[in-house]
Short mmCIF file of all heavy atoms in Angstrom, two decimals:
data_model
loop_
_atom_site.label_atom_id
_atom_site.label_comp_id
_atom_site.label_asym_id
_atom_site.label_seq_id
_atom_site.Cartn_x
_atom_site.Cartn_y
_atom_site.Cartn_z
N ARG A 5 0.83 -1.14 0.05
CA ARG A 5 -0.02 0.02 0.03
C ARG A 5 0.87 1.25 0.04
O ARG A 5 0.27 2.25 -0.05
CB ARG A 5 -0.92 0.02 1.18
CG ARG A 5 -1.83 -1.20 1.21
CD ARG A 5 -2.84 -1.18 2.45
NE ARG A 5 -3.68 -0.08 2.42
CZ ARG A 5 -4.57 0.19 3.41
NH1 ARG A 5 -4.59 -0.55 4.51
NH2 ARG A 5 -5.34 1.20 3.31
N ILE A 6 2.19 1.16 0.00
CA ILE A 6 3.06 2.29 0.10
C ILE A 6 2.99 3.09 -1.21
O ILE A 6 3.35 4.30 -1.17
CB ILE A 6 4.51 1.76 0.30
CG1 ILE A 6 5.37 2.97 0.74
CG2 ILE A 6 5.07 1.17 -0.86
CD1 ILE A 6 5.05 3.67 2.05
N LEU A 7 2.40 2.56 -2.20
CA LEU A 7 2.30 3.23 -3.47
C LEU A 7 1.61 4.59 -3.37
O LEU A 7 1.96 5.63 -3.98
CB LEU A 7 1.65 2.42 -4.64
CG LEU A 7 1.46 2.99 -5.88
CD1 LEU A 7 2.91 3.30 -6.52
CD2 LEU A 7 0.53 2.10 -6.81
N ARG A 8 0.69 4.65 -2.40
CA ARG A 8 -0.08 5.93 -2.23
C ARG A 8 0.71 7.09 -1.62
O ARG A 8 0.30 8.22 -1.63
CB ARG A 8 -1.42 5.58 -1.34
CG ARG A 8 -0.94 5.30 0.07
CD ARG A 8 -2.16 5.03 0.94
NE ARG A 8 -2.85 3.80 0.57
CZ ARG A 8 -3.99 3.34 0.95
NH1 ARG A 8 -4.61 4.04 1.96
NH2 ARG A 8 -4.55 2.32 0.50
N SER A 9 1.90 6.82 -1.19
CA SER A 9 2.76 7.77 -0.70
C SER A 9 3.72 8.39 -1.72
O SER A 9 4.41 9.35 -1.50
CB SER A 9 3.58 7.24 0.45
OG SER A 9 2.89 6.70 1.58
N TYR A 10 3.68 7.85 -2.92
CA TYR A 10 4.53 8.27 -3.90
C TYR A 10 3.92 8.73 -5.23
O TYR A 10 2.71 8.31 -5.46
CB TYR A 10 5.45 7.12 -4.35
CG TYR A 10 6.33 6.54 -3.50
CD1 TYR A 10 6.01 5.41 -2.71
CD2 TYR A 10 7.59 7.17 -3.18
CE1 TYR A 10 6.91 4.89 -1.69
CE2 TYR A 10 8.43 6.63 -2.19
CZ TYR A 10 8.06 5.53 -1.48
OH TYR A 10 9.04 5.01 -0.51
N ALA A 11 4.47 9.72 -5.87
CA ALA A 11 4.01 9.99 -7.25
C ALA A 11 4.58 8.75 -8.14
O ALA A 11 5.58 8.13 -7.84
CB ALA A 11 4.73 11.29 -7.84
N VAL A 12 3.85 8.51 -9.25
CA VAL A 12 4.34 7.40 -10.16
C VAL A 12 4.38 8.04 -11.52
O VAL A 12 3.45 8.74 -12.06
CB VAL A 12 3.19 6.33 -10.14
CG1 VAL A 12 3.51 5.35 -11.31
CG2 VAL A 12 3.21 5.56 -8.83
N GLY A 13 5.41 7.70 -12.18
CA GLY A 13 5.73 8.10 -13.56
C GLY A 13 5.93 6.97 -14.56
O GLY A 13 6.19 5.93 -14.14
N TRP A 14 5.44 7.26 -15.76
CA TRP A 14 5.60 6.40 -16.87
C TRP A 14 6.69 6.89 -17.75
O TRP A 14 6.71 8.08 -18.11
CB TRP A 14 4.34 6.10 -17.61
CG TRP A 14 3.35 5.23 -16.99
CD1 TRP A 14 2.25 5.61 -16.26
CD2 TRP A 14 3.39 3.80 -16.97
NE1 TRP A 14 1.62 4.44 -15.85
CE2 TRP A 14 2.25 3.37 -16.27
CE3 TRP A 14 4.25 2.82 -17.64
CZ2 TRP A 14 1.99 1.98 -16.01
CZ3 TRP A 14 3.89 1.52 -17.49
CH2 TRP A 14 2.71 1.11 -16.61
N PHE A 15 7.60 6.06 -18.05
CA PHE A 15 8.75 6.34 -19.05
C PHE A 15 8.77 5.38 -20.11
O PHE A 15 8.27 4.24 -19.95
CB PHE A 15 10.09 6.50 -18.32
CG PHE A 15 10.12 7.51 -17.23
CD1 PHE A 15 9.51 7.35 -15.94
CD2 PHE A 15 10.71 8.69 -17.52
CE1 PHE A 15 9.59 8.35 -14.97
CE2 PHE A 15 10.84 9.78 -16.55
CZ PHE A 15 10.30 9.51 -15.32
N ARG A 16 9.43 5.62 -21.17
CA ARG A 16 9.68 4.68 -22.23
C ARG A 16 10.94 4.84 -22.92
O ARG A 16 11.53 5.87 -22.93
CB ARG A 16 8.45 4.80 -23.31
CG ARG A 16 8.53 6.04 -24.14
CD ARG A 16 7.28 6.17 -24.92
NE ARG A 16 7.24 7.41 -25.81
CZ ARG A 16 6.29 7.75 -26.55
NH1 ARG A 16 5.21 6.90 -26.65
NH2 ARG A 16 6.36 8.95 -27.28
N GLN A 17 11.48 3.71 -23.42
CA GLN A 17 12.77 3.79 -24.05
C GLN A 17 12.67 2.86 -25.34
O GLN A 17 12.47 1.67 -25.32
CB GLN A 17 13.81 3.15 -23.13
CG GLN A 17 15.18 3.36 -23.67
CD GLN A 17 16.32 3.05 -22.62
OE1 GLN A 17 15.99 2.30 -21.55
NE2 GLN A 17 17.60 3.47 -22.86
N ALA A 18 12.95 3.48 -26.43
CA ALA A 18 13.05 2.78 -27.79
C ALA A 18 14.51 2.40 -28.02
O ALA A 18 15.38 2.98 -27.44
CB ALA A 18 12.51 3.72 -28.90
N PRO A 19 14.65 1.38 -28.98
CA PRO A 19 16.02 0.99 -29.27
C PRO A 19 16.89 2.20 -29.62
O PRO A 19 16.57 2.87 -30.53
CB PRO A 19 15.76 -0.09 -30.31
CG PRO A 19 14.45 -0.57 -30.16
CD PRO A 19 13.71 0.62 -29.66
N GLY A 20 18.05 2.26 -29.10
CA GLY A 20 19.01 3.33 -29.48
C GLY A 20 18.75 4.58 -28.99
O GLY A 20 19.37 5.60 -29.39
N LYS A 21 17.59 4.87 -28.12
CA LYS A 21 17.21 6.14 -27.63
C LYS A 21 17.31 6.22 -26.15
O LYS A 21 17.42 5.15 -25.38
CB LYS A 21 15.87 6.46 -28.21
CG LYS A 21 15.76 6.66 -29.66
CD LYS A 21 14.32 7.07 -30.14
CE LYS A 21 14.37 7.26 -31.70
NZ LYS A 21 13.00 7.63 -32.13
N GLU A 22 17.20 7.46 -25.64
CA GLU A 22 17.23 7.68 -24.16
C GLU A 22 15.80 7.24 -23.63
O GLU A 22 14.83 7.12 -24.36
CB GLU A 22 17.49 9.16 -23.90
CG GLU A 22 18.85 9.54 -24.31
CD GLU A 22 19.09 10.99 -23.96
OE1 GLU A 22 18.06 11.75 -23.60
OE2 GLU A 22 20.21 11.53 -24.07
N ARG A 23 15.83 7.08 -22.32
CA ARG A 23 14.58 6.85 -21.75
C ARG A 23 13.92 8.14 -21.47
O ARG A 23 14.42 9.00 -20.84
CB ARG A 23 14.93 6.15 -20.30
CG ARG A 23 13.62 5.69 -19.60
CD ARG A 23 13.92 4.94 -18.35
NE ARG A 23 14.45 3.73 -18.71
CZ ARG A 23 14.83 2.69 -17.74
NH1 ARG A 23 14.60 2.89 -16.57
NH2 ARG A 23 15.44 1.58 -18.12
N ASP A 24 12.65 8.24 -22.00
CA ASP A 24 11.98 9.46 -22.08
C ASP A 24 10.73 9.46 -21.20
O ASP A 24 10.04 8.42 -20.96
CB ASP A 24 11.48 9.77 -23.50
CG ASP A 24 12.68 10.08 -24.44
OD1 ASP A 24 13.62 10.69 -23.98
OD2 ASP A 24 12.53 9.83 -25.61
N PHE A 25 10.35 10.63 -20.63
CA PHE A 25 9.33 10.81 -19.80
C PHE A 25 8.02 10.67 -20.56
O PHE A 25 7.92 11.16 -21.80
CB PHE A 25 9.29 12.21 -19.16
CG PHE A 25 8.02 12.70 -18.55
CD1 PHE A 25 7.63 12.12 -17.31
CD2 PHE A 25 7.28 13.60 -19.25
CE1 PHE A 25 6.42 12.52 -16.69
CE2 PHE A 25 5.96 13.95 -18.63
CZ PHE A 25 5.62 13.48 -17.35
N VAL A 26 6.90 10.14 -20.12
CA VAL A 26 5.71 9.96 -20.70
C VAL A 26 4.52 10.71 -19.89
O VAL A 26 3.88 11.50 -20.46
CB VAL A 26 5.30 8.47 -20.91
CG1 VAL A 26 3.86 8.29 -21.51
CG2 VAL A 26 6.31 7.81 -21.74
N ALA A 27 4.38 10.28 -18.63
CA ALA A 27 3.41 10.93 -17.88
C ALA A 27 3.72 10.69 -16.38
O ALA A 27 4.47 9.74 -16.05
CB ALA A 27 2.05 10.21 -18.28
N THR A 28 3.15 11.48 -15.59
CA THR A 28 3.21 11.28 -14.11
C THR A 28 1.95 11.68 -13.33
O THR A 28 1.14 12.51 -13.85
CB THR A 28 4.50 12.05 -13.55
OG1 THR A 28 4.68 11.70 -12.20
CG2 THR A 28 4.24 13.59 -13.70
N ILE A 29 1.76 11.18 -12.16
CA ILE A 29 0.54 11.36 -11.38
C ILE A 29 1.01 11.52 -9.95
O ILE A 29 1.83 10.71 -9.51
CB ILE A 29 -0.59 10.30 -11.66
CG1 ILE A 29 -1.84 10.71 -10.93
CG2 ILE A 29 -0.04 8.92 -11.19
CD1 ILE A 29 -2.97 9.91 -11.40
N ASN A 30 0.37 12.39 -9.18
CA ASN A 30 0.70 12.61 -7.81
C ASN A 30 0.17 11.64 -6.94
O ASN A 30 -0.68 10.79 -7.33
CB ASN A 30 0.48 14.08 -7.41
CG ASN A 30 -1.06 14.41 -7.26
OD1 ASN A 30 -1.86 13.70 -7.74
ND2 ASN A 30 -1.32 15.41 -6.57
N TRP A 31 0.26 11.67 -5.66
CA TRP A 31 -0.10 10.75 -4.65
C TRP A 31 -1.61 10.81 -4.42
O TRP A 31 -2.18 9.67 -4.00
CB TRP A 31 0.57 10.97 -3.31
CG TRP A 31 0.50 12.47 -2.86
CD1 TRP A 31 -0.48 12.86 -1.93
CD2 TRP A 31 1.29 13.44 -3.19
NE1 TRP A 31 -0.16 14.20 -1.82
CE2 TRP A 31 0.83 14.56 -2.42
CE3 TRP A 31 2.48 13.68 -3.96
CZ2 TRP A 31 1.33 15.84 -2.65
CZ3 TRP A 31 3.07 14.88 -4.16
CH2 TRP A 31 2.59 15.99 -3.40
N THR A 32 -2.36 11.76 -4.78
CA THR A 32 -3.78 11.86 -4.61
C THR A 32 -4.44 11.59 -5.85
O THR A 32 -5.72 11.45 -5.86
CB THR A 32 -4.16 13.24 -4.08
OG1 THR A 32 -3.69 14.32 -4.87
CG2 THR A 32 -3.54 13.41 -2.59
N GLY A 33 -3.79 11.64 -6.94
CA GLY A 33 -4.39 11.37 -8.29
C GLY A 33 -4.97 12.57 -8.84
O GLY A 33 -5.76 12.40 -9.94
N ASP A 34 -4.91 13.74 -8.41
CA ASP A 34 -5.54 14.91 -8.82
C ASP A 34 -4.77 15.80 -9.71
O ASP A 34 -5.25 16.85 -10.26
CB ASP A 34 -6.22 15.76 -7.77
CG ASP A 34 -5.19 16.22 -6.71
OD1 ASP A 34 -3.92 15.70 -6.75
OD2 ASP A 34 -5.47 17.16 -5.97
N THR A 35 -3.48 15.49 -9.83
CA THR A 35 -2.48 16.15 -10.69
C THR A 35 -1.78 15.27 -11.63
O THR A 35 -1.20 14.39 -11.17
CB THR A 35 -1.55 17.03 -9.84
OG1 THR A 35 -2.33 17.88 -8.94
CG2 THR A 35 -0.59 17.93 -10.69
N THR A 36 -1.74 15.65 -12.92
CA THR A 36 -0.99 14.82 -13.82
C THR A 36 -0.34 15.75 -14.89
O THR A 36 -0.61 16.93 -15.11
CB THR A 36 -2.01 14.01 -14.77
OG1 THR A 36 -2.90 14.84 -15.47
CG2 THR A 36 -2.76 13.02 -13.76
N TYR A 37 0.78 15.21 -15.35
CA TYR A 37 1.51 15.86 -16.59
C TYR A 37 1.84 14.80 -17.53
O TYR A 37 2.12 13.63 -17.29
CB TYR A 37 2.85 16.49 -15.94
CG TYR A 37 2.57 17.62 -14.94
CD1 TYR A 37 2.74 17.31 -13.52
CD2 TYR A 37 2.34 18.96 -15.24
CE1 TYR A 37 2.60 18.30 -12.58
CE2 TYR A 37 2.02 19.83 -14.37
CZ TYR A 37 2.17 19.62 -12.98
OH TYR A 37 2.10 20.54 -12.09
N TYR A 38 1.93 15.35 -18.75
CA TYR A 38 2.18 14.46 -19.94
C TYR A 38 3.21 15.12 -20.79
O TYR A 38 3.41 16.27 -20.98
CB TYR A 38 0.91 14.26 -20.83
CG TYR A 38 -0.29 13.69 -20.07
CD1 TYR A 38 -1.11 14.37 -19.34
CD2 TYR A 38 -0.39 12.26 -20.12
CE1 TYR A 38 -2.14 13.74 -18.60
CE2 TYR A 38 -1.31 11.70 -19.49
CZ TYR A 38 -2.34 12.37 -18.81
OH TYR A 38 -3.33 11.76 -18.09
N ALA A 39 4.03 14.20 -21.44
CA ALA A 39 4.79 14.63 -22.52
C ALA A 39 4.04 15.17 -23.70
O ALA A 39 2.82 14.65 -23.88
CB ALA A 39 5.71 13.48 -23.03
N ASP A 40 4.51 16.16 -24.39
CA ASP A 40 3.80 16.77 -25.57
C ASP A 40 3.35 15.66 -26.55
O ASP A 40 2.40 15.71 -27.18
CB ASP A 40 4.52 17.83 -26.18
CG ASP A 40 4.77 19.14 -25.31
OD1 ASP A 40 3.92 19.28 -24.37
OD2 ASP A 40 5.67 19.92 -25.51
N SER A 41 4.29 14.73 -26.68
CA SER A 41 4.08 13.66 -27.77
C SER A 41 2.84 12.81 -27.52
O SER A 41 2.35 12.14 -28.43
CB SER A 41 5.32 12.86 -27.85
OG SER A 41 5.62 12.14 -26.72
N VAL A 42 2.34 12.74 -26.30
CA VAL A 42 1.28 11.95 -25.96
C VAL A 42 0.08 12.63 -25.40
O VAL A 42 -0.95 11.97 -25.19
CB VAL A 42 1.69 10.74 -24.95
CG1 VAL A 42 2.99 10.04 -25.34
CG2 VAL A 42 1.93 11.52 -23.55
N LYS A 43 0.01 14.04 -25.34
CA LYS A 43 -1.00 14.64 -24.92
C LYS A 43 -2.25 14.41 -25.70
O LYS A 43 -2.17 14.41 -26.98
CB LYS A 43 -0.72 16.17 -24.86
CG LYS A 43 0.12 16.53 -23.65
CD LYS A 43 0.42 18.01 -23.71
CE LYS A 43 1.33 18.46 -22.54
NZ LYS A 43 1.67 19.89 -22.47
N GLY A 44 -3.43 14.11 -25.14
CA GLY A 44 -4.61 14.00 -25.89
C GLY A 44 -4.81 12.53 -26.32
O GLY A 44 -5.92 12.16 -26.72
N ARG A 45 -3.77 11.72 -26.20
CA ARG A 45 -3.89 10.24 -26.59
C ARG A 45 -3.68 9.27 -25.31
O ARG A 45 -4.33 8.32 -25.35
CB ARG A 45 -2.84 9.91 -27.65
CG ARG A 45 -2.89 10.71 -28.93
CD ARG A 45 -1.86 10.26 -29.94
NE ARG A 45 -0.53 10.29 -29.53
CZ ARG A 45 0.31 9.30 -29.48
NH1 ARG A 45 -0.08 8.10 -29.69
NH2 ARG A 45 1.58 9.45 -29.01
N PHE A 46 -2.80 9.70 -24.44
CA PHE A 46 -2.60 8.82 -23.23
C PHE A 46 -3.33 9.50 -22.06
O PHE A 46 -3.28 10.64 -22.00
CB PHE A 46 -1.12 8.70 -23.02
CG PHE A 46 -0.31 7.82 -24.14
CD1 PHE A 46 -0.96 7.51 -25.20
CD2 PHE A 46 0.94 7.58 -23.83
CE1 PHE A 46 -0.21 6.73 -26.15
CE2 PHE A 46 1.69 6.84 -24.77
CZ PHE A 46 1.13 6.35 -25.93
N THR A 47 -3.73 8.59 -21.10
CA THR A 47 -4.20 9.03 -19.80
C THR A 47 -3.68 8.22 -18.71
O THR A 47 -3.75 6.98 -18.78
CB THR A 47 -5.86 8.86 -19.82
OG1 THR A 47 -6.33 9.71 -20.94
CG2 THR A 47 -6.35 9.46 -18.55
#
């Protein structure tokens, strides 16, 4: 249940590329941020 104490982020890494930020959500679930490349498509 410790997950509720942390923000959680999603990252992705394609072959030969850096690990890039995708999205993150805070501990209460009321604040989110997205990479420009996924806005409007990912939740």
Side-chain angles (χ1 to χ4, degrees):
R5 301 179 67 183
I6 193 63
L7 180 63
R8 68 183 64 187
S9 300
Y10 297 96
V12 172
W14 283 96
F15 297 78
R16 64 187 183 185
Q17 187 168 21
K21 297 184 178 180
E22 297 180 345
R23 185 172 297 184
D24 292 329
F25 168 77
V26 176
T28 188
I29 188 167
N30 72 343
W31 52 94
T32 59
D34 61 345
T35 303
T36 59
Y37 295 101
Y38 297 91
D40 289 342
S41 60
V42 306
K43 287 181 180 178
R45 300 188 298 121
F46 291 10
T47 302

